Amino acid sequence: MIEVAGDSLYIGCFEAEDLAKRFGTPLYVYDEELIRYNYSRLLRAFRYKWLEILYSCKANSNPWILSILRDLGSGLDAVSPLEVLLGIKLGFPKDKILFTGVNVSDEEMLFIRGELGVMINIDSLSQLERYGRLFPETKVSIRINPGFGRGHHRYTITGGITKFGIYPSQIEKAIETSRKYGLKIAGLHMHIGSGIYDVELYLKGLEILLNIATRLGGIEFIDIGGGLGIPYRPGDREMDIDLLGFKVSELLEEFTRRYWEVKLRIEPGRYIVGNAGVLLTRVIDVKEIEHAGEKKLFIGVDTGMNHLIRPALYDAYHEIIPARGSNRPREVIADVVGNICESGDILARDRRLPRIEEGEILAILDVGAYGYSMSSNYNLRPRPAEVLISGCSVKLIRRRETFEDLIRTAELESLASR
Ligand code: LLP
């Protein structure tokens, strides 16, 4: 569990401050117990008998985290050849991996379908045609864009007029192409966005998929994608996953009664790992300015948009608390800013916080999804280390990057002597 006890933040048995001292900062810390709990919440909510959870590994692809999910029986939603390869190497069953790419080249399909033997979820009519030529008489899945979507930011909406999927108006053409190459459409898929709190929208999309399924016949699975929203701000609403699970299960049970047994797939990423990660960072420089009649307080930390891009990219909110004295009264309003040379490198804007001293450890919460996985080496800064807490044990699951990881030293030496 990740919680404030007494006046300090704990992850499992460990005080966040001690972890920061022991492993250095910035540091990503994950809680295994929460990951397991979130997974079990999904199983409880979606009671449909033929449910398969395909963890969306773009949210967090640390191999240790993936292996926890593999052991729980999860499959994998993969969006790049190397995500598929990682899943195979970690022992995820091939028939529980689905590759959903965009702008997928023939070379990528030859690798994923041909070499690795993983099913491809087709994103466009062109890809279907090329797939048919390469792999006639095989099974495919089709990503349907139902024409609407939702997300916590416009960049995370994937249904509607976006680059993703095959539109309902293109289905006839898709069927024709599949016939031409003897393809069997085994799966129908949608993923309409990320950070959705609205149950109805999923049901509307699911109905479209089920209608297409009855027209096509022989569908083996219906995949409603990921996107389940989680709360980030104190007081934020939560996606009612029990209601969603209940309604989706009900629709599928009815389909199964009337037609045939079909599997239900869901592809959550954020829901499983989002609240299970924190980023610990040290306060380096507290700067108070007064200029042109304006006052501003900046709390400068040793991480930034290179390690957590969500605030800069989506204006996303992440709660930030001091690791010790977490419950101190919030007396100041400040921007928490990173150490990257960009003025947009703001982790929290005009945030009400306690008075913070230089040297303190801050915890940025709910960064288990799309934190490390979207990090970069911008400004030639190494990525942080990652540790996994499992109750009272702690494991370094990725070491901090070094200069050598970023630059091939041998090459550098030969360049220096030129
Ligand atoms: N399935 C497919 C095909 C996807 O493209 C995605 C996410 C998921 C499942 C999982 O979505 P989730 O359950 O995690 O919402 N970087 C953004 C989120 C982008 C999501 C992209 N696709 C963020 O930090 O909010």
Side-chain angles (χ1 to χ4, degrees):
M1 284 300 154
I2 300 179
E3 59 194 354
V4 174
D7 206 15
S8 300
L9 179 70
Y10 281 83
I11 301 115
C13 300
F14 298 91
E15 216 194 307
E17 181 96 12
D18 291 342
L19 291 170
K21 275 199 197 114
R22 177 160 161 200
F23 294 97
T25 55
L27 180 72
Y28 271 99
V29 185
Y30 307 112
D31 182 43
E32 174 166 0
E33 214 179 298
L34 258 176
I35 296 174
R36 290 177 178 275
Y37 175 75
N38 293 337
Y39 190 86
S40 73
R41 283 285 292 120
L42 290 168
L43 289 182
R44 235 187 302 152
F46 289 81
R47 289 192 180 267
Y48 183 62
K49 192 169 161 195
W50 294 280
L51 170 73
E52 274 181 8
I53 299 178
L54 271 55
Y55 168 62
S56 185
C57 67
K58 66 181 80 58
N60 189 323
S61 52
N62 186 293
W64 287 86
I65 289 182
L66 289 181
S67 61
I68 295 171
L69 288 153
R70 176 207 55 210
D71 292 348
L72 286 170
S74 180
L76 218 55
D77 155 47
V79 288
S80 73
L82 295 189
E83 280 189 357
V84 178
L85 183 62
L86 180 59
I88 299 270
K89 288 209 182 272
L90 287 171
F92 280 86
K94 286 185 181 182
D95 61 355
K96 279 193 175 178
I97 305 178
L98 184 64
F99 171 74
T100 301
V102 68
N103 309 339
V104 181
S105 69
D106 290 3
E107 292 77 10
E108 289 174 322
M109 289 197 282
L110 284 165
F111 178 63
I112 290 161
R113 173 77 237 202
E115 271 182 55
L116 301 179
V118 162
M119 187 183 280
I120 293 187
N121 188 23
I122 301 284
D123 185 68
S124 74
L125 291 178
S126 150
Q127 190 193 354
L128 185 61
E129 179 75 36
R130 290 183 287 116
Y131 178 93
R133 261 185 254 138
L134 293 172
F135 302 103
E137 315 286 330
T138 58
K139 286 184 185 176
V140 276
S141 165
I142 288 196
R143 176 175 188 166
I144 305 287
N145 179 333
F148 50 82
R150 196 69 56 83
H152 65 81
H153 184 273
R154 65 194 165 91
Y155 293 168
T156 68
I157 301 173
T158 48
I161 306 285
T162 68
K163 64 179 175 180
F164 297 102
I166 291 180
Y167 286 77
S169 60
Q170 298 176 311
I171 300 285
E172 292 312 322
K173 179 71 189 156
I175 295 174
E176 195 187 303
T177 308
S178 305
R179 288 217 180 98
K180 185 164 80 180
Y181 294 106
L183 299 176
K184 176 164 187 295
I185 301 177
L188 290 174
H189 169 280
M190 68 172 189
H191 171 76
I192 56 177
S194 187
I196 306 175
Y197 298 86
D198 181 353
V199 170
E200 283 306 312
L201 212 67
Y202 281 97
L203 301 180
K204 228 170 97 183
L206 175 57
E207 274 171 23
I208 293 176
L209 296 187
L210 291 175
N211 271 332
I212 300 173
T214 48
R215 246 173 57 213
L216 288 176
I219 296 293
E220 294 168 17
F221 67 84
I222 298 280
D223 187 333
I224 60 169
L228 309 175
I230 63 167
Y232 282 100
R233 288 169 200 262
D236 251 5
R237 68 205 160 121
E238 208 170 325
M239 168 84 180
D240 190 344
I241 62 152
D242 290 318
L243 182 67
L244 177 69
F246 177 77
K247 294 262 182 193
V248 166
S249 301
E250 204 175 49
L251 281 173
L252 281 154
E253 274 152 19
E254 190 192 323
F255 182 92
T256 299
R257 264 197 307 276
R258 286 180 60 182
Y259 304 103
W260 65 91
E261 261 168 33
V262 68
K263 271 190 231 162
L264 165 66
R265 283 179 163 182
I266 57 174
E267 302 176 343
R270 188 191 314 270
Y271 190 87
I272 293 178
V273 292
N275 66 356
V278 303
L279 175 57
L280 301 180
T281 180
R282 194 154 57 93
V283 178
I284 303 293
D285 197 324
V286 177
K287 189 185 278 184
E288 200 160 6
I289 57 151
E290 199 169 344
H291 179 68
E294 220 184 304
K295 274 190 174 174
K296 187 107 202 168
L297 179 61
F298 293 105
I299 297 172
V301 296
D302 67 356
T303 185
M305 64 193 292
N306 51 333
H307 297 157
L308 178 67
I309 203 177
R310 301 192 72 255
L313 186 59
Y314 312 118
D315 219 0
Y317 182 101
H318 285 274
E319 185 66 346
I320 300 182
I321 59 171
R324 278 209 182 135
S326 315
N327 293 322
R328 273 177 280 164
R330 302 192 175 205
E331 293 170 330
V332 301
I333 291 183
D335 281 8
V336 179
V337 291
N339 56 2
I340 293 296
C341 297
E342 298 231 7
S343 351
D345 181 20
I346 301 175
L347 294 160
R349 208 184 278 273
D350 295 324
R351 188 68 63 84
R352 192 166 275 285
L353 290 167
R355 273 178 214 289
I356 306 278
E357 305 281 326
E358 290 178 3
E360 275 196 66
I361 301 298
L362 298 182
I364 309 176
L365 306 185
D366 306 313
V367 296
Y370 308 109
Y372 193 98
S373 69
M374 292 179 82
S375 66
S376 75
N377 294 124
Y378 186 40
N379 280 196
L380 210 57
R381 285 190 179 276
R383 289 184 177 82
E386 294 178 291
V387 297
L388 179 68
I389 307 293
S390 313
C392 293
S393 79
V394 54
K395 199 181 300 135
L396 178 69
I397 57 172
R398 184 144 39 196
R399 61 170 175 74
R400 191 175 303 285
E401 281 177 339
T402 62
F403 181 70
E404 283 69 32
D405 290 328
L406 273 53
I407 304 283
R408 302 240 299 282
T409 318
E411 223 168 80
L412 196 69
E413 276 157 11
S414 71
L415 282 174
S417 61
R418 253 177 31 160

